[in-house]
Amino acid sequence: MHSYNLTSQLAQEIVDRTMKIIDCNINVMDGDGRIIGSGDLERIGEIHEGAMLAISQKRVVSIDSATAQQLHGVKPGVNLPLHLNERVVGVIGLTGKPENITQFGKLVCMSAEMMMEQAQLLHEISQDNRIKEELILSLIQSDNLSANLSEWGRKLNIDLALPRVVAIVEIESGQLGIESAISELQNLQNALQSVTKNSLVAIKSLTEIVVLIPALNRFNRWELNEHQKKLENLIIQIKNSIPLEIRIALGNFFPQGIDNIAKSYQTAKATMLIGKQRMPELRNYYYQELILPVLLHGLSYDWQADELLLPLKKLKQSDRNGVLQKTLLTWFNHNLQNSETADKLFIHRNTLEYRLNKIAKLTDLNLTKFDDRMLLYIALQLDK
């Protein structure tokens, strides 16, 4: 159980609520006997000797007028220890004649202890949620499942052996107000948690939420179509409940390996980037539908990319109006079928053949060879 102590904020809340019902001054002292909540704000910070007696002796301490004169910072009244998890964490004191307020004091003490238990529960839930988020963020960045992560998974009752696939939910920048950003993100996080059963959800940044989704269905199979339907419905549900424009990218599922979550996150991240570049009108992107461009993305900033792009650069130098590039792209999009390509471009097949021959000459490639065709196709993918 997480350690929890009485806070000044909760102490003052206990005072304010109680004094609306009980017609006497209320003081709440911490475990050291210091007043941290009071109907008399000038007394905040004072040491209350009556409270120190109640703490040290672990009993109710009643103080009459004569006794009060012998103690520092004390008025007649009754002081009751506040218990939480079977330990004294503070004292609640009522000012007045002990014989008139002792029974009220017991009710006030019980009410205060209930408020502390509720505050502790909320504190534990909040702390568990923070730890859970840290665990999720560690999983997507780690290439190994350390003993520490495994232990936290066990404590949080999270089955880290459950196969999962990573989805990224991206909020379009500029939608969140500066003051309400965290609140709006938490609302979105809660909505995602409620509609994605058994998923793990964490806020990674002001524009990104990570969702670790159970990858296998009830038949213990990975079915992309099922995930696509769920994510498409998710977009609709979120849009109906929260006024935020979002995009979702689903990464690849890696059934084995200690770094499977991290790899799935990396593919989801690249899928989101490529998806927005190529299909900005869509809201859902899937790695399985963008495998080649996603895999090639890793080459984009390396010397291999420069080499792969050389034939296309040669073509561009002589194809100022882009006709040949459009022809080549259409040819690939129609699976190298000349008739379908010519129909799509509204040209004669002879014209198409002339253009393809010209492309071959300008790029120094033989388009009848598979490897040369592949080089041009990869170049087009990298160039997008």
Side-chain angles (χ1 to χ4, degrees):
M1 182 174 291
H2 302 299
S3 176
Y4 179 79
N5 292 310
L6 180 61
T7 65
S8 57
Q9 181 179 358
L10 178 58
Q12 192 60 46
E13 185 179 347
I14 291 171
V15 169
D16 294 340
R17 286 192 184 185
T18 306
M19 289 186 63
K20 289 179 181 179
I21 303 171
I22 306 297
D23 188 21
C24 68
N25 185 57
I26 305 290
N27 294 316
V28 174
M29 283 66 73
D30 63 15
D32 297 321
R34 188 179 301 277
I35 299 175
I36 58 173
S38 177
D40 182 0
L41 297 181
E42 292 184 359
R43 299 194 66 187
I44 299 291
E46 293 181 3
I47 295 294
H48 194 291
E49 291 190 5
M52 294 180 70
L53 281 173
I55 293 168
S56 62
Q57 299 178 11
K58 298 181 180 179
R59 65 176 180 86
V60 177
V61 174
S62 297
I63 300 174
D64 57 22
S65 297
T67 306
Q69 293 177 1
Q70 301 174 18
L71 299 174
H72 174 71
V74 175
K75 294 181 179 181
V78 60
N79 297 278
L80 304 97
L82 292 171
H83 295 85
L84 184 64
N85 303 328
E86 300 182 352
R87 67 186 181 98
V88 176
V89 296
V91 175
I92 189 162
L94 285 73
T95 304
K97 294 182 178 181
E99 61 269 23
N100 295 337
I101 60 174
T102 298
Q103 291 303 316
F104 291 121
K106 291 179 180 178
L107 292 173
V108 170
C109 182
M110 183 173 65
S111 175
E113 287 177 346
M114 290 176 62
M115 290 176 67
M116 288 193 300
E117 289 173 1
Q118 183 182 37
Q120 181 189 39
L121 178 61
L122 292 174
H123 173 76
E124 289 178 356
I125 291 173
S126 175
Q127 192 171 49
D128 281 352
N129 284 339
R130 286 197 297 271
I131 295 172
K132 185 181 291 186
E133 285 204 330
E134 290 175 9
L135 174 63
I136 295 168
L137 296 178
S138 295
L139 287 172
I140 65 172
Q141 296 169 0
S142 177
D143 57 3
N144 65 83
L145 189 59
S146 66
N148 188 45
L149 290 179
S150 298
E151 177 64 15
W152 277 116
R154 186 187 64 77
K155 288 182 177 180
L156 296 170
N157 199 28
I158 295 174
D159 183 6
L160 296 182
L162 180 68
R164 296 181 185 274
V165 62
V166 177
I168 290 175
V169 179
E170 185 177 277
I171 304 96
E172 290 188 3
S173 59
Q175 291 187 83
L176 299 174
I178 295 176
E179 296 181 357
S180 60
I182 298 300
S183 175
E184 291 173 6
L185 279 172
Q186 288 175 339
N187 288 338
L188 177 56
Q189 181 184 24
N190 292 335
L192 289 167
Q193 189 71 70
S194 65
V195 297
T196 53
K197 188 177 179 182
N198 297 323
S199 294
L200 303 176
V201 184
I203 297 172
K204 190 173 187 298
S205 70
L206 287 177
T207 58
E208 182 182 318
I209 293 179
V210 179
V211 187
L212 275 56
I213 305 171
L216 307 181
N217 61 18
R218 59 194 180 97
F219 301 110
N220 207 35
R221 292 199 302 261
W222 159 255
E223 297 286 353
L224 177 62
N225 290 339
E226 292 182 17
H227 286 285
Q228 288 177 320
K229 290 177 182 178
K230 289 178 182 178
L231 292 180
E232 286 165 5
N233 290 332
L234 178 60
I235 287 280
I236 297 172
Q237 288 176 287
I238 295 299
K239 191 172 183 178
N240 289 337
S241 60
I242 297 178
L244 290 175
E245 290 292 334
I246 64 172
R247 284 186 167 90
I248 299 179
L250 183 68
N252 190 27
F253 168 54
F254 296 89
Q256 296 178 335
I258 56 177
D259 59 347
N260 53 355
I261 296 297
K263 288 194 293 187
S264 185
Y265 172 73
Q266 291 166 11
T267 58
K269 193 77 172 173
T271 298
M272 178 68 79
L273 177 64
I274 299 300
K276 289 194 300 181
Q277 288 176 352
R278 294 174 176 241
M279 299 168 287
E281 72 283 1
L282 299 184
R283 293 287 162 180
N284 291 55
Y285 309 116
Y286 306 97
Y287 168 79
Q288 297 296 336
E289 296 179 351
L290 294 165
I291 292 178
L292 184 59
V294 168
L295 293 178
L296 291 173
H297 175 69
L299 297 174
S300 298
Y301 307 102
D302 214 333
W303 65 268
Q304 290 98 327
D306 293 334
E307 290 296 306
L308 289 168
L309 284 167
L310 278 178
L312 191 59
K313 287 181 179 179
K314 293 178 182 178
L315 179 61
K316 285 183 175 183
Q317 289 173 357
S318 300
D319 183 34
R320 299 297 183 183
N321 57 10
V323 171
L324 296 180
Q325 295 167 70
K326 181 180 178 181
T327 300
L328 184 61
L329 185 59
T330 306
W331 187 52
F332 281 126
N333 287 341
H334 288 81
N335 299 312
L336 314 182
Q337 298 298 312
N338 287 7
S339 295
E340 293 180 13
T341 304
D343 291 342
K344 181 67 177 179
L345 294 171
F346 303 104
I347 59 175
H348 193 274
R349 282 193 59 176
N350 291 341
T351 303
L352 174 62
E353 290 178 6
Y354 168 78
R355 291 182 183 178
L356 292 175
N357 289 332
K358 190 171 183 180
I359 290 171
K361 184 177 180 180
L362 291 172
T363 59
D364 295 323
L365 295 174
N366 184 348
L367 296 187
T368 64
K369 290 184 177 181
F370 176 81
D371 283 0
D372 285 6
R373 290 175 175 178
M374 196 64 186
L375 280 172
L376 269 180
Y377 181 73
I378 290 174
L380 285 171
Q381 298 300 313
L382 284 171
D383 192 56
K384 288 186 178 181

